[in-house]
């Protein structure tokens, strides 16, 4: 049935049942199509499989010209934004009056970015379609771009000499590009807004590729962790395929085949189908739920929109709210009330603060809300970070959370308040029996609240903890850190003097450092082994055995076998060729004469083009290249001059300090001040000066690339990449050896450093 189906631009309608409950829309990626992207051999799975497994879904497939290079025809010049606008227009035009039906998107690679850009800042009439989007399945979507884009740009420029290309579409895939930055800022905000509205939360699942895509699009069937960047990385890396806070899963396929399924028994299809069926069932159930009218707690008070703090059904129960804290803060006249009961609410005179608390508690206790306990905890920590102490107190007193409840990142409320540097919140949490010695995550490492205050240099909180709450300042973190050591590493001198003298954790600190060093050494050794294997075995084997066999031996062998098989026809064939030889020689002579005449006629035009090229080279390209080189050289000279001047100033400062100290007999200026001044000279000479030179030298790569681009255009860029490859190969092994030596040396230096710390813990 799909034999006659070919790729097309626009929306392709695959199934439209009269009783459809959901729309499923497919969006392909770079260089794909609304048929070919989802088709493996003869199986076009959205039509042949999905229509039978989800019969009550309207299935659509959007197509757009996403080719970068298209030999023989013109390619679209649209970028990501225009394709995204076309996607939204096709959705609006194709859904008619059914805009309230939920939308599920299945998007591959660039198609995911087009979808995110389409939903960004949607306005009427697109707003209705944007609000209908409820579920999104991302297949190998590069949310953080791809490192293959520079090579694709060079390839498109080179191909642009011979055929139509569209390098503009690659700008949406550039790492750290402005389009990805806009999406990274706007998409999470869009998700939060949708989550805040009832029954409009968007669920997302991301799938990454497991198999490396090798050269010429062939998959290397080894799992990705067996490869490094030199042996064939994945098109979309694991980090790029991830959206923070949402599940990341994998499918056993490369970048091209992650969206193609061979049939119903394909494990990849079973995985995706299971997710789609769950989504369809969830959306069907949610469409039956109607939002009950919100009930105000005060007669004739205007209704207020509840905050996005919701409860699951298992959490819905009458809650006895103790308002002692609220009475103290807001001036309530009522004594207590029970949420969820039909008793009348006591009359009170609300203040603005009271009204905010009422709205929050209303949202928490409303049985119509269908969120999870995780959202309650998240709202609790949001209130802590935003310094809403009344809301925090009310949530703890209501029994929804405790002062020691941890969030999904394993943070404690006290650590969150300490990180936010909120003294009042810290006091309030301790009043609610928060454990001042409880461990929690801070920057993904276990810390106590005192450690967080010490690492941030917050003297107010540190004194509050030590002098009032009396935590155990000798606690040692899993990585060996003490509160005192964190203050030393942060350079907080006042904090260092304040905290008590404590020893301990040296072995853990060295072990943590040594573990990382061993990982670097193992990675470097593995890299050297892989590099030498390719250089000394794979490459020689390819050129000495594989290439001669494929180009010489096998063709000769096959030719000999063919000649022997048809040996009886060989004589007549030679006779025919000899008879045709005079005619063939005559045709060759005529063709040579014709081509020679054309060559002579083309000489003047070639000379004119050569003159224009030489003129451009001499008047534009070479001056631009010289200017770039001169600017780079001047920055180096300037950096060296500044370094020399800094050294001279430090020497003068040292001599001045020494003379003043001698003149005052070291009463006002001590020997430590003189020693610090001398150390500053050494730091300037052996640290600052080499650092500036190295920073200048690192700009050579950027400068040389621009120079080669000016001088040779695309061919200059290709030569630059070839040269860069040779340099990389030449320095790879020495660089890895240096990593090994520096890592092992760093472990020894760390051990010596820990010994000096044991002698003087405050150094």
């Amino acid at each position: 049935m799909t034999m006659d189906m070919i790729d097309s631009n626009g929306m392709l309608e695959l199934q439209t049942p009269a009783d459809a409950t959901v729309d499923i829309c497919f969006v392909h990626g770079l260089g794909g199509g609304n048929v070919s992207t989802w088709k493996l051999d003869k199986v076009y799975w959205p039509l042949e499989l999905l229509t039978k497994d989800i019969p009550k879904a309207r299935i659509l497939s959007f197509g757009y010209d996403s080719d970068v290079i298209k030999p023989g025809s013109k390619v679209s010049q649209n970028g990501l934004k225009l394709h995204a606008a076309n996607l939204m227009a096709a959705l609006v035009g194709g859904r008619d009056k059914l805009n309230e039906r939920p939308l599920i998107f299945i998007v591959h690679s660039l198609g995911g970015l087009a979808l995110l850009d389409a939903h960004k800042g949607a306005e009427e009439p697109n707003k209705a379609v944007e609000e209908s989007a409820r579920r999104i399945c991302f297949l190998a979507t590069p949310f953080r771009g791809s490192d293959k884009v520079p090579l694709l740009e060079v390839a498109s420029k080179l191909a642009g000499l011979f055929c139509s290309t569209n390098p503009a579409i690659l700008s949406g895939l550039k790492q750290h590009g402005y389009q990805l930055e806009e999406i990274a800022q706007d998409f999470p905000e869009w998700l939060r807004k949708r989550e805040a509205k009832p029954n409009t939360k968007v669920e997302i699942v991301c799938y990454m590729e497991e198999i490396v895509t090798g050269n010429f699009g062939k998959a290397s069937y080894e799992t990705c962790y067996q490869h490094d960047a030199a042996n064939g990385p994945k098109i979309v890396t694991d980090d790029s395929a991830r959206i923070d806070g949402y599940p990341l899963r994998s499918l056993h396929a490369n970048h091209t085949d992650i969206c193609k399924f061979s049939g119903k028994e394909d494990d990849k299809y079973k995985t995706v189908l299971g997710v789609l069926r769950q989504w369809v069932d969830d959306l069907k159930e949610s469409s039956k739920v109607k939002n009950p009218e919100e009930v105000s707690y005060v007669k004739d008070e205007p209704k207020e929109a509840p905050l996005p703090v919701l409860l699951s059904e298992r959490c819905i129960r009458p809650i006895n709210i103790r308002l002692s804290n609220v009475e103290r803060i807001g001036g309530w006249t009522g004594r207590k009330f029970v949420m969820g009961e039909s008793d009348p609410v006591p009359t009170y005179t609300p203040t603005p603060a009271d009204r905010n608390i009422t709205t929050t508690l209303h949202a928490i206790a409303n049985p119509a809300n269908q969120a999870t306990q995780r959202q309650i905890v998240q709202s609790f920590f949001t209130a802590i970070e935003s310094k809403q102490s009344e809301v925090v107190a009310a949530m703890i007193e209501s029994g929804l959370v405790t002062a020691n409840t941890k969030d999904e990142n394993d943070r404690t409320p006290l650590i969150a308040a300490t990180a936010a540097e909120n003294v009042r919140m810290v006091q309030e949490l301790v009043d609610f029996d928060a454990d001042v010695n409880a461990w929690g995550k801070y920057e993904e490492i276990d810390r106590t609240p005192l450690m967080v205050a010490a690492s941030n240099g917050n003297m107010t909180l540190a004194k509050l903890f030590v002098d009032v709450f009396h935590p155990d300042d000798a606690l040692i973190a899993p990585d060996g850190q003490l509160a005192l050591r964190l203050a030393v590493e942060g350079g907080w001198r006042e904090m260092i003097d304040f905290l008590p003298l404590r020893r301990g954790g040296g072995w853990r600190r060295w072990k943590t450092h040594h573990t990382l060093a061993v990982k670097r050494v193992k990675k470097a050794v593995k890299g050297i082994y892989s590099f030498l294997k390719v250089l000394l075995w794979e490459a020689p084997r390819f050129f000495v055995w594989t290439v001669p066999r494929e180009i010489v031996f096998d063709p000769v062998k096959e030719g000999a076998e063919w000649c022997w098989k048809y040996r009886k026809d060989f004589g007549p064939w030679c006779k025919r060729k000899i008879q045709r030889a005079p005619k063939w020689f005559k045709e060759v002579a005529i063709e040579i004469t014709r081509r020679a005449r054309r060559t002579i006629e083309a000489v003047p035009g070639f000379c004119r083009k050569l003159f224009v090229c030489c003129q451009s080279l001499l008047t534009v390209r070479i001056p631009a290249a010289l200017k770039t080189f001169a600017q780079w050289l001047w920055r180096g000279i300037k950096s060296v001059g500044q370094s020399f001047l800094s050294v001279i100033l430090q020497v003068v400062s040292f001599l001045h300090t020494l003379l003043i100290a001698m003149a005052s007999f070291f009463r006002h200026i001590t020997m430590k001040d003189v020693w610090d001044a001398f150390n500053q000279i050494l730091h300037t000479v052996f640290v600052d000066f080499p650092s500036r030179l190295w920073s200048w030298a690192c700009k050579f790569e950027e400068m040389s690339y621009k120079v080669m681009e000016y001088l040779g255009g695309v061919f200059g860029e290709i030569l630059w990449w070839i040269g860069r490859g040779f340099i990389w190969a030449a320095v790879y092994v020495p660089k890895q050896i240096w990593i090994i030596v520096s890592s092992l040396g760093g472990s020894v230096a760390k051990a010596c450093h820990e010994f000096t710390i044991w002698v003087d813990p405050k150094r």
Side-chain angles (χ1 to χ4, degrees):
M1 183 177 179
T2 61
M3 292 289 290
D4 300 332
M5 297 188 68
I6 59 174
D7 292 330
S8 60
N9 294 332
M11 194 65 75
L12 180 62
E13 210 166 300
L14 304 179
Q15 174 176 269
T16 309
D19 56 346
T21 59
V22 66
D23 285 6
I24 301 178
C25 181
F26 292 80
V27 185
H28 65 82
L30 188 68
N34 54 1
V35 175
S36 59
T37 292
W38 317 100
K39 186 177 180 182
L40 181 62
D41 295 331
K42 297 181 180 180
V43 179
Y44 181 34
W45 70 271
L47 177 62
E48 299 186 5
L49 303 180
L50 195 61
T51 54
K52 299 174 183 177
D53 290 323
I54 307 181
K56 291 189 177 182
R58 182 170 179 253
I59 300 178
L60 312 167
S61 184
F62 179 72
Y64 59 102
D65 189 353
S66 60
D67 290 332
V68 180
I69 303 171
K70 185 178 287 187
S73 61
K74 297 295 183 181
V75 66
S76 169
Q77 299 301 307
N78 282 359
L80 179 64
K81 288 185 176 297
L82 291 177
H83 285 313
N86 291 339
L87 169 62
M88 184 60 74
L91 288 170
V92 172
R95 283 169 61 86
D96 297 329
K97 298 181 180 180
L98 303 177
N99 287 329
E100 294 183 358
R101 191 159 55 205
L103 257 171
I104 297 176
F105 287 96
I106 303 176
V107 292
H108 176 236
S109 189
L110 181 69
L113 301 180
L115 175 65
L116 301 187
D117 196 271
H119 284 160
K120 183 180 65 178
E123 298 179 356
E124 296 294 345
N126 300 350
K127 196 69 176 178
V129 173
E130 181 263 337
E131 290 181 351
S132 298
R134 303 293 299 279
R135 305 289 187 268
I136 307 175
C137 176
F138 291 102
L139 301 175
T141 298
F143 299 104
R144 293 166 180 81
S146 174
D147 57 358
K148 310 297 184 299
V149 173
L151 293 178
L152 288 175
E153 288 181 331
V154 172
S156 67
K157 289 181 181 179
L158 181 61
L161 300 174
F162 311 101
C163 60
S164 177
T165 62
N166 180 21
I169 199 172
L170 296 174
S171 62
L173 295 171
K174 283 184 177 180
Q175 290 181 329
H176 311 297
Y178 74 95
Q179 291 184 350
L180 286 180
E181 294 292 341
E182 288 181 355
I183 292 174
Q185 293 176 4
D186 297 336
F187 186 56
E189 181 64 25
W190 178 72
L191 290 176
R192 283 192 293 270
K193 290 181 179 178
R194 292 295 301 274
E195 189 172 351
K197 298 179 181 179
N199 296 328
T200 62
K201 179 183 177 181
V202 179
E203 292 188 12
I204 290 173
V205 63
C206 302
Y207 287 100
M208 67 179 184
E209 57 213 59
E210 288 185 5
I211 298 176
V212 174
T213 303
N215 294 331
F216 309 107
K218 297 179 181 179
S220 173
Y221 286 90
E222 299 179 39
T223 51
C224 58
Y225 59 80
Q226 295 173 319
H227 287 262
D228 55 19
N231 296 332
K234 294 192 290 187
I235 300 297
V236 178
T237 61
D238 300 353
D239 184 62
S240 186
R242 175 185 293 106
I243 296 180
D244 294 337
Y246 290 89
L248 176 64
R249 304 168 186 172
S250 63
L251 294 176
H252 190 69
N254 65 349
H255 183 75
T256 304
D257 296 337
I258 196 172
C259 52
K260 304 177 190 293
F261 308 137
S262 59
K264 286 183 175 294
E265 300 305 317
D266 192 322
D267 291 336
K268 303 192 300 295
Y269 177 69
K270 291 179 180 179
T271 300
V272 175
L273 179 62
V275 173
L276 293 178
R277 279 176 168 169
Q278 181 64 44
W279 283 352
V280 171
D281 292 342
D282 291 346
L283 292 174
K284 189 184 300 182
E285 291 298 324
S286 65
S287 64
K288 298 177 182 179
V289 178
K290 295 183 179 180
N291 293 328
E293 295 182 0
E294 296 178 0
V295 180
S296 176
Y297 289 101
V298 183
K299 186 177 181 179
D300 299 328
E301 280 289 320
K303 297 179 181 179
E304 300 183 26
L307 296 178
V309 185
L310 309 174
L311 285 174
S312 62
E313 292 180 359
R314 60 187 176 86
C315 296
I316 299 172
R317 63 187 186 278
I319 303 172
N320 193 351
I321 306 291
R322 294 185 292 111
L323 297 178
S324 58
N325 189 56
V326 178
E327 293 170 359
R328 173 171 55 84
I329 295 174
W332 290 60
T333 59
R335 287 170 292 181
K336 73 174 184 179
F337 65 94
V338 179
M339 299 180 69
E341 298 180 356
S342 59
D343 296 340
V345 180
T347 305
Y348 68 95
T349 304
T351 66
D354 299 336
R355 191 166 297 165
N356 291 336
I357 298 171
T358 305
T359 303
T360 304
L361 296 179
H362 182 190
I364 293 173
N366 189 355
N369 293 325
Q370 302 292 320
T372 63
Q373 182 69 27
R374 180 180 61 86
Q375 291 172 296
I376 298 176
V377 176
Q378 181 180 356
S379 298
F380 176 59
F381 277 82
T382 300
I384 292 174
E385 293 168 350
S386 58
K387 304 180 180 180
Q388 299 178 17
S389 57
E390 296 89 348
V391 176
V392 171
M395 293 183 74
I396 294 175
E397 291 188 342
S398 68
L400 293 172
V401 292
T402 69
N404 295 307
T405 299
K406 293 185 177 181
D407 68 355
E408 59 184 359
N409 298 321
D410 205 29
R411 289 186 307 166
T412 65
L414 206 53
I415 284 181
T418 305
E421 300 185 345
N422 188 348
V423 178
R424 180 184 176 186
M425 188 67 69
V426 169
Q427 292 175 320
E428 186 170 10
L429 289 171
V430 174
D431 289 341
F432 281 108
D433 299 327
D435 187 357
V436 295
N437 291 321
W439 294 97
K441 295 293 184 182
Y442 177 70
E443 297 180 352
E444 300 183 359
I445 305 174
D446 281 336
R447 294 285 185 260
T448 64
L450 178 60
M451 290 180 180
V452 175
S455 63
N456 292 335
N458 192 314
M459 280 299 300
T460 303
L461 284 174
K463 290 181 178 180
L464 180 65
F465 280 120
V466 174
D467 296 338
V468 180
F469 304 142
H470 307 296
D472 186 357
D473 58 271
L475 289 175
I476 301 174
D479 60 345
Q481 291 290 6
L482 292 159
L484 177 60
R485 293 312 309 162
L486 291 170
V488 171
E489 291 184 0
W492 309 109
R493 175 50 55 186
E494 187 179 0
M495 182 74 70
I496 296 169
D497 296 335
F498 170 74
L499 291 174
L501 190 68
R502 290 286 184 264
R503 291 183 175 87
W507 167 252
R508 291 189 189 179
R509 290 193 294 272
W510 179 85
K511 186 178 179 182
T512 302
H513 182 276
H514 183 67
T515 301
L516 296 176
V518 169
K519 287 183 180 179
R520 289 194 296 268
V521 169
K522 288 182 178 179
K523 184 178 179 181
V525 171
K526 184 179 178 182
I528 292 175
Y529 169 77
S530 301
F531 180 82
L532 294 179
K533 181 181 177 182
V534 171
L535 182 65
L536 301 179
W537 172 249
E538 298 291 348
R541 181 172 178 269
F542 176 78
F543 289 107
V544 175
W545 171 249
T546 305
V547 173
R549 185 190 65 186
E550 297 290 339
I551 296 179
V552 179
F553 298 123
D554 287 352
V556 170
K557 178 183 176 182
E558 293 173 0
E561 292 175 349
W562 183 87
C563 290
W564 179 255
K565 182 178 180 180
Y566 298 100
R567 60 187 181 278
K568 295 181 180 180
D569 300 330
F570 190 69
W573 179 80
C574 292
K575 181 179 178 180
R576 289 194 303 271
K577 292 298 181 183
I578 293 173
Q579 290 174 349
R580 292 187 57 188
K583 182 179 179 181
W584 182 79
F585 282 121
K586 181 179 179 181
E587 291 175 353
V588 170
I590 293 173
E591 183 65 21
I592 291 174
T593 304
R594 185 172 63 85
R595 290 185 178 276
R597 188 183 303 113
R598 287 186 177 181
T599 302
I600 295 172
E601 292 174 352
V603 168
F606 173 77
C607 292
R608 285 194 299 270
K609 292 182 179 180
L610 182 62
F611 174 77
V612 172
C613 182
C614 293
Q615 184 182 20
S616 174
L617 184 66
L618 295 173
T619 59
V620 179
R621 294 181 176 271
I622 292 180
L626 290 175
K627 179 182 178 182
T628 301
F629 176 77
Q631 289 176 343
W632 172 78
L633 187 62
W634 169 248
R635 282 195 292 267
I637 296 173
K638 183 179 178 182
S639 178
V640 171
Q642 290 176 344
S643 298
F644 275 119
L645 180 60
S646 179
V647 171
I648 292 173
L649 292 176
Q650 291 298 333
V651 171
V652 172
S653 176
F654 168 71
L655 294 176
H656 177 265
T657 302
L658 181 61
L659 292 175
I660 295 297
M662 293 173 63
S664 63
F665 298 99
F666 296 95
R667 287 194 300 269
H668 302 295
I669 297 179
T670 63
M671 281 298 297
K672 185 179 183 303
D673 297 325
V674 176
W675 178 249
D676 290 342
F678 180 71
N679 284 338
Q680 192 64 37
I681 295 176
L682 297 180
H683 187 274
T684 303
V685 174
F686 295 105
V687 177
D688 290 346
F689 182 59
S691 298
R692 289 186 178 183
L693 284 181
W694 177 251
S695 177
W696 169 68
C698 289
K699 297 291 184 181
F700 177 80
E701 182 179 3
E702 179 182 352
M703 181 275 298
S704 61
Y705 181 84
K706 289 183 179 180
V707 168
M708 293 300 295
E709 184 180 17
Y710 284 135
L711 294 179
V714 175
F715 295 103
E717 294 180 26
I718 294 174
L719 290 176
W720 184 88
W721 280 103
I722 293 174
R724 188 177 185 273
F726 279 115
I727 294 174
W728 175 86
V731 303
Y732 182 78
V733 173
K735 183 178 179 181
Q736 300 305 312
I737 293 175
W738 170 252
I739 290 174
I740 295 172
V741 174
S742 61
S743 298
L744 297 178
S747 291
V748 176
K750 180 65 174 176
C752 297
H753 179 65
E754 288 301 331
F755 177 75
T756 59
I757 290 174
W758 183 84
V759 175
D760 182 10
K762 292 196 174 185
R763 70 181 302 275

